[in-house]
């Protein structure tokens, strides 16, 4: 999912205060390039993944199994941002965590590039682990370049940083996708590894420009905590090894022995985390109320991401088999559809920012709740739109590529309504005690949505059927309308947050 945040005086003594990168500290260039190459490798691999899974020259799996694997993979990436943030805070510090994460991602892509199916899932696991470690810490390092939250350059710095995300996400399918589909799948995955290698090299060479305290472990584990953590990790690892050894040696092993536990984890962990925070007796009444309101946003966001992230699986698999992927008679690779969202983000984000400011000046800017509900309705509308190409395909014809572009356009508009608002409201409504953890909680909404898609696929639900698509679209619209109808109640629970 390409990020959609839309966002210069210099303070003497600020880390990297020289104006050398769009008026920002030089360290921002290091982090910009690292994130750009990491996103290049991630989105390139992601664009190839569902196509490789179903291709006769790939793994040759069914569309349902491919969607399940893709969804489980995405849910894991976002689920692992929480332990990734914990590692940065308690074990290695942000800088070392990002460097190690980049190496793990590169190794994962190299493993995917090996022409054997046996190593494929290990490669996916490595990329997911590395992405979780990196995603949780690199944004923290961007913030550390500035002189606190009130530094006037801070928001602009994050805007530049997120442009790096979308540049990498835009270029990746065009390059990696073309090579993977037209030349060799494993060469495409190898290109993703090369992209991450460039990111790691750039990070190591430019790390001297980063804030000095990015190397500091904020809350290092005590000796007792280290011992306890290692003991627990060893216990669960040994239990998993023994369990899967028994399943394997008794001849009962299938792919679902991996997929089902991981999808259930993606649904159960978000519920447990929210329940733990909500039941914390140390939170005051106002914080409890805000958490009750936040659960509304969380559930609605999970529904949004459940549909939105199918742009890379359900829509991609449909395009492979049932769309006329041509422009003026020239056929393009199916993976190129994954460049539509990031290019639309870069084009539309400034328009949305200008539009909100214009409405704000007139005192007519929609509230957070209205923006959020509108995003949900739009993602539902995108799947109602999907019914048209599905009907065309069921009639034995190829659907025009512009139908899919239109779906991605509507989804991007919905993302720009919901994602920045969701990130903002998460930081505003976070209890003080959980301030540093709540961004990870927001990412768990993505985990819950993708895990739900995975569960549906594992259960044998064909997500490319008209009835299922219509049901998902209706669910999103109903959720959006429900948030809007109960906006006064939610607003009251939000307290002073607007």
């Amino acid at each position: 999912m390409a990020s959609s945040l839309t966002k210069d005086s210099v303070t003497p003594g600020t880390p990297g205060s020289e104006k050398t990168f769009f008026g920002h500290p030089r360290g921002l260039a290091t982090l910009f390039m690292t994130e750009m190459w990491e996103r290049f490798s991630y989105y390139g691999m992601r664009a190839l993944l569902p196509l490789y899974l179903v291709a006769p020259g790939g793994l040759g799996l069914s569309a349902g199994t491919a969607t399940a694997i893709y969804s489980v993979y995405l849910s894991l990436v976002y689920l692992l941002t929480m332990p990734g943030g914990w590692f940065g805070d308690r074990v290695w510090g942000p800088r070392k965590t990002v460097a190690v994460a980049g190496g793990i991602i590169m190794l994962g892509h190299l493993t995917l590039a090996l022409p054997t199916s046996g190593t494929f899932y290990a490669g996916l696991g490595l990329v997911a682990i590395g992405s979780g470690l990196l995603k949780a810490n690199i944004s923290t390092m961007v913030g550390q370049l500035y002189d606190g939250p009130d530094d006037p350059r801070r928001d602009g710095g994050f805007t530049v940083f997120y442009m790096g995300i979308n540049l990498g996400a835009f270029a990746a399918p065009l390059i990696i996708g073309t090579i993977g589909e037209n030349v060799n799948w494993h060469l495409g995955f190898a290109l993703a590894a090369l992209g991450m290698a460039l990111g790691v090299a750039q990070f190591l060479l430019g790390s001297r420009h980063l804030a000095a305290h990015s190397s500091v472990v904020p809350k290092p584990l005590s000796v007792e905590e280290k011992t306890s953590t290692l003991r627990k990790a060893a216990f669960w690892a040994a239990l998993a090894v023994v369990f899967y050894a028994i399943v394997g040696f008794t001849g009962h092993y299938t792919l679902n022995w991996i997929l089902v536990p991981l999808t259930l984890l993606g649904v159960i962990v978000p519920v447990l985390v929210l329940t733990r925070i909500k039941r914390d007796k140390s939170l005051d009444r106002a914080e409890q109320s805000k958490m009750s309101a936040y659960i509304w946003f969380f559930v609605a966001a999970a529904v949004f991401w459940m549909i939105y992230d199918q742009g890379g699986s359900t829509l991609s698999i449909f395009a492979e088999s049932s769309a006329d992927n041509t422009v003026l008679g020239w056929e393009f690779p199916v993976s190129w559809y994954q460049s539509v969202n990031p290019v639309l983000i870069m084009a539309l984000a400034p328009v949305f920012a200008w539009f909100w400011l214009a409405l704000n000046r007139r005192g007519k800017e929609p509230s957070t709740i209205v923006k959020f509900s509108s995003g949900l309705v739009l993602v539902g509308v995108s799947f109602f739109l999907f019914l048209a190409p599905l009907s065309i395909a069921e009639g034995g014809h190829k659907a025009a590529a512009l139908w899919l572009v239109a779906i991605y356009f509507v989804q991007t508009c919905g993302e720009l309504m919901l994602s920045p608002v969701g990130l903002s409201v998460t930081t505003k409504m976070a209890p003080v005690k959980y301030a540093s953890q709540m961004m990870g909680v927001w990412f768990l909404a993505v985990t819950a949505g993708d895990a739900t898609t995975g569960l549906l696929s594992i259960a044998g639900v064909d997500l490319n059927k008209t009835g299922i698509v219509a049901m998902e679209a209706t669910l999103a619209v109903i959720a959006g309308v429900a948030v809007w109808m109960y906006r006064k109640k939610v607003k009251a629970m939000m307290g002073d947050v607007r």
Side-chain angles (χ1 to χ4, degrees), residues 139-175:
S139 294
T140 299
M141 294 172 69
V142 174
Q144 289 174 339
L145 294 171
Y146 300 95
D147 189 22
D150 297 324
D151 189 317
R153 301 168 299 162
R154 186 183 177 94
D155 283 356
F158 273 98
T159 300
V160 174
F161 176 70
Y162 285 110
M163 285 300 289
I165 292 175
N166 287 295
L167 281 172
F170 167 69
L174 303 180
I175 299 171

Side-chain angles (χ1 to χ4, degrees), residues 10 13-20 24-27 145 153 209-211:
V10 177
T14 300
S17 58
E18 317 86 22
K19 288 189 176 183
T20 56
H24 291 275
R26 288 184 67 185
L145 294 171
R153 301 168 299 162
H209 300 302
L210 301 174

Side-chain angles (χ1 to χ4, degrees), residues 227-267:
T227 303
S228 174
T229 301
L230 287 172
R231 188 183 296 117
K232 289 176 183 176
F235 170 78
W236 287 109
L239 189 65
V241 168
V242 170
F243 175 79
Y244 283 104
I246 293 171
V247 171
F249 287 129
T250 55
H252 292 92
Y253 179 80
T254 64
L255 190 57
N256 281 350
W257 280 103
I258 293 289
L259 294 180
V260 172
L262 290 178
T263 48
L264 289 175
L265 202 65
V267 174

Side-chain angles (χ1 to χ4, degrees), residues 54 65 103 125 137 177 185 200 316 331 368 387 417 480 486:
V54 299
T65 303
N137 289 281
W185 294 109
V200 171
S316 190
E331 187 174 0
T368 292
L387 294 175
M417 296 285 282
Y486 287 90

